[in-house]
Amino acid sequence: MDFYSLNKIAPKVSFKDAVIKGLAPDKGLYFPNKIKRLEKEFFKHLNYFSNEEIAYEVIKQFVADEIPERELKEIIKETLSFDFPIVTINENISTLELFHGPTMAFKDVGARFMARCLGYFNKQENTTKVTVLVATSGDTGGAVASGFLDVKGVDVVILYPSGKVSEVQEKQLTTLGKNITALEVDGTFDDCQAMVKKAFLDTDLISIKNLTSANSINVARWLPQMFYFFFAYKQLKNKNRDVVFSIPSGNFGNICAGMMAQQLGLPVKQFIASTNVNDIVPNYLKTGIYNPKPSKQTISNAMDVGDPSNFVRILEIYKNDISKLKKHLSSYSFTDDETREAMKYLKENYNYIADPHGAVGYLGLKTYLTKNNAQGIFLETAHPVKFLDVVEPVIKETIELPAQIKEVIDKEKVSIKISNYEELKEFLLIS
Ligand SMILES: *Cc1c(COP(=O)(O)O)cnc(C)c1O
């Protein structure tokens, strides 16, 4: 399958090149040249397929023959080695838990799939080593570190803001070693991101290093997120009732993958983009004006994004027709106080412990369902244990550490401290 750049200047590339490059040379995001709907029969018989079989059907048109069937099936099998359960909250609301992977956030699936695709392409030709350079405010770093650990031909360099990620998150990035290096930046997340962007444009570096990114702009991280929506649909007992999904959104990669699943034919009535006070998209749907702003810090920090990079992909699906888009997308924004209230409400009424991101998803769904009749699913994108300092005071209970967290929490942190771009560059040039 060919992918074109949304800035429409750079030439089309194969899946392989889109994965290796990340972003097109004209700085546009890559988008599939064609989207083919899946057979009606497939949806009818979804219940009979395993998750791995579903994932293969869903992704194969995008990978085409660039990864042979056997290898692609193996990549999918390794990527999906955990559960994606639906938990019922009440008769209209359930949650799809996406946090049962190794780092307990939904980003595990995309990171694991992308890592294995890159590993496969590297094995094919003895191309030069690829260096994955990524800035994280918390969750991305851990998922990428775990997903890429031991992948041959790939080095991973993660920049994170010193003192600004949770203890669990820091341990997940700094204790793996091997091909993973954590750079602890004396600065904010925005500083980390600015350094990464500068590195991608630095001709001294890119003339000798194969740099790529591992955030959701990369098609191999973005597209496998389509799987979740099929797994959810498969688990629904009543497939005759309208289905809506509420997705806690920051960079809008996850929700855009859901909307791609709908393009493949998945019968979803509406998507709800639930955001914190970083309300660029809810405002856009209200006013028709897309007005990016500097991000504001919230308790759902993985969604503190002031210019969601994947939203252009959603606009591309709808060919920039906002009235058509609104038929499939609603969007609401919530404050931290409302989010804490929702966490408390879910615990007291349904004995369900949501993390702050899932709670925002719940609120968006609840708002939509006050005016519409449907069965709603909100995505729980991280385990509450990743945000202990926020969750425990609200629910007034201690949360037991799951095995994945116990495993890293006592390991020794290893990081390299840097404070400016020159130090990053020096590190990349000698490593
Ligand atoms: C990354 C993240 C999100 C936002 O996902 P996008 O694809 O960027 O919209 C939501 N919740 C959690 C826990 C995350 O880590």
Side-chain angles (χ1 to χ4, degrees):
M1 161 83 64
D2 281 348
F3 288 78
Y4 62 91
S5 162
L6 290 182
N7 284 352
K8 316 260 160 85
I9 300 167
K12 284 184 192 157
V13 296
S14 61
F15 174 74
K16 174 182 168 182
D17 286 339
V19 176
I20 292 174
K21 284 200 171 73
L23 202 62
D26 62 5
K27 308 276 173 289
L29 272 67
Y30 281 118
F31 195 85
N33 205 23
K34 245 185 25 217
I35 300 168
K36 202 176 96 217
R37 287 177 86 82
L38 302 174
E39 305 272 340
K40 284 226 170 64
E41 288 300 299
F42 173 65
F43 295 98
K44 246 193 233 155
H45 298 126
L46 213 53
N47 291 26
Y48 300 103
F49 292 113
S50 68
N51 281 355
E52 288 167 27
E53 287 164 337
I54 292 171
Y56 178 73
E57 281 308 306
V58 168
I59 204 80
K60 74 175 181 198
Q61 64 172 300
F62 302 102
V63 181
D65 51 2
E66 295 171 58
I67 300 178
E69 180 172 337
R70 239 190 59 204
E71 273 84 359
L72 183 56
K73 284 186 169 161
E74 190 55 36
I75 289 173
I76 288 170
K77 189 170 159 199
E78 288 177 22
T79 300
L80 299 179
S81 58
F82 42 89
D83 293 334
F84 303 84
I86 282 203
V87 176
T88 304
I89 303 289
N90 64 29
E91 62 169 349
N92 293 322
I93 297 182
S94 38
T95 179
L96 176 69
E97 292 187 343
L98 299 177
F99 56 66
H100 295 276
T103 73
M104 314 211 85
F106 83 94
K107 292 184 173 73
D108 278 330
V109 165
R112 288 159 75 83
F113 186 81
M114 177 185 166
R116 282 158 183 79
C117 289
L118 261 188
Y120 172 79
F121 294 136
N122 271 3
K123 206 165 52 188
Q124 282 323 96
E125 303 153 28
N126 278 323
T127 40
T128 43
K129 258 196 166 178
V130 176
T131 301
V132 171
L133 189 60
V134 64
T136 184
S137 59
D139 272 354
T140 300
V144 168
S146 157
F148 281 81
L149 183 67
D150 283 329
V151 173
K152 290 209 172 51
V154 183
D155 282 334
V156 176
V157 178
I158 300 167
L159 282 75
Y160 75 98
S162 182
K164 296 192 179 63
V165 302
S166 77
E167 191 194 353
V168 169
Q169 289 173 328
E170 183 171 44
K171 284 291 170 76
Q172 287 179 330
L173 335 158
T174 57
T175 58
L176 293 174
K178 297 186 183 169
N179 59 330
I180 316 291
T181 306
L183 300 181
E184 184 173 352
V185 176
D186 179 17
T188 62
F189 168 65
D190 289 338
D191 296 328
C192 298
Q193 187 131 34
M195 286 192 210
V196 167
K197 284 195 176 145
K198 201 164 170 182
F200 283 120
L201 299 173
D202 188 331
T203 42
D204 296 346
L205 275 176
I206 54 181
S207 60
I208 58 165
K209 285 237 148 188
N210 245 335
L211 291 184
T212 193
S213 131
N215 58 35
S216 54
I217 58 167
N218 195 298
V219 295
R221 242 201 78 188
W222 165 54
L223 290 171
Q225 299 174 29
M226 291 186 293
F227 303 160
Y228 308 141
F229 300 87
F230 288 85
F231 298 167
Y233 187 79
K234 170 181 155 181
Q235 292 175 66
L236 290 180
K237 290 190 188 81
N238 182 353
K239 293 194 174 47
N240 296 318
R241 248 183 113 189
D242 285 339
V243 185
V244 302
F245 282 100
S246 172
I247 298 100
S249 296
N251 243 333
F252 281 67
N254 203 7
I255 190 166
C256 182
M259 299 182 95
M260 288 289 285
Q262 187 186 39
Q263 296 298 307
L264 294 189
L266 191 72
V268 179
K269 182 172 170 235
Q270 190 79 356
F271 289 92
I272 300 145
S274 302
T275 73
N276 56 33
V277 290
N278 293 285
D279 54 1
I280 314 306
V281 172
N283 275 344
Y284 170 74
L285 291 184
K286 231 182 274 164
T287 64
I289 299 163
Y290 185 84
N291 186 18
K293 288 184 256 181
S295 62
K296 299 186 193 110
Q297 212 175 329
T298 73
I299 56 168
S300 48
N301 61 18
M303 311 198 294
D304 294 350
V305 180
D307 186 6
S309 35
N310 282 288
F311 195 63
V312 286
R313 283 184 168 138
I314 294 181
L315 291 176
E316 183 71 8
I317 297 175
Y318 288 89
K319 299 281 174 258
N320 288 301
D321 183 335
I322 184 168
S323 55
K324 262 196 199 142
L325 172 61
K326 277 175 158 171
K327 289 196 182 116
H328 288 153
L329 182 67
S330 307
S331 189
Y332 310 103
S333 123
F334 301 95
T335 64
D336 280 355
D337 282 345
E338 290 169 317
T339 307
R340 286 199 188 88
E341 274 307 306
M343 285 159 58
K344 204 165 148 228
Y345 182 85
L346 282 167
K347 174 71 175 102
E348 283 173 1
N349 292 279
Y350 302 110
N351 199 25
Y352 190 78
I353 303 176
D355 92 295
H357 305 79
V360 169
Y362 166 75
L363 283 169
L365 182 56
K366 210 171 155 184
T367 306
Y368 176 85
L369 290 179
T370 53
K371 294 206 190 97
N372 301 273
N373 181 12
Q375 54 180 331
I377 301 168
F378 71 92
L379 271 42
E380 234 311 1
T381 45
H383 192 289
V385 76
K386 296 197 80 174
F387 303 93
L388 278 183
D389 50 331
V390 179
V391 179
E392 286 187 344
V394 172
I395 61 162
K396 302 196 169 62
E397 239 177 55
T398 45
I399 301 174
E400 208 186 314
L401 298 187
Q404 291 101 311
I405 305 296
K406 276 194 193 133
E407 210 179 283
V408 295
I409 205 81
D410 292 328
K411 283 198 190 152
E412 199 187 337
K413 159 186 159 183
V414 180
S415 69
I416 297 173
K417 294 202 171 169
I418 63 166
S419 51
N420 55 47
Y421 178 72
E422 288 314 310
E423 289 173 15
L424 170 64
K425 182 166 174 175
E426 193 182 69
F427 171 81
L428 291 171
L429 286 173
I430 57 161
S431 64

